[in-house]
Amino acid sequence: MSKSKKKRVTQRTRRKHRTLIEGMARCVSNDGMVKELRVGEVYYVREIPNMRGHCVVLRNKGTPLVGYHLDRFTLLEEHET
């Protein structure tokens, strides 16, 4: 295996096994586009493995929301939950 090909495989493997973001998060941005999300409310979010930077949002008494950008949320510290 050539050196450049080996390097590409190693980089791809590292990206594939990066830790997914998940936990309780507060919505900080809505941009008025999404009526299901409310700024200041707390949701459980989990990053989608094959859509980096996007997440599934679990709401209390509602259906899950899929494909929302993680930058709409800030993860809460353990003492805040």
Side-chain angles (χ1 to χ4, degrees), residues 20 27 29 32 41 66 70-71 77:
L20 296 175
C27 181
S29 170
E41 291 222 13
V66 179
L70 279 170
D71 58 0
E77 299 293 325

Side-chain angles (χ1 to χ4, degrees), residues 32-77:
M33 299 186 322
V34 184
K35 65 181 181 181
E36 291 89 1
L37 294 178
R38 293 197 175 117
V39 174
E41 291 222 13
V42 177
Y43 302 96
Y44 180 81
V45 297
R46 185 167 199 280
E47 188 173 18
I48 301 170
N50 59 347
M51 290 178 63
R52 300 297 176 151
H54 296 81
C55 64
V56 173
V57 180
L58 299 179
R59 305 179 293 163
N60 189 18
K61 299 180 185 175
T63 57
L65 305 172
V66 179
Y68 288 93
H69 289 246
L70 279 170
D71 58 0
R72 292 180 185 264
F73 304 93
T74 56
L75 288 176
L76 298 177
E77 299 293 325

Side-chain angles (χ1 to χ4, degrees), residues 10-20 52:
T10 304
Q11 287 175 346
R12 191 177 326 129
T13 304
R14 271 192 221 129
R15 269 184 294 202
K16 185 177 180 183
H17 297 292
R18 183 178 68 93
T19 305
L20 296 175
R52 300 297 176 151

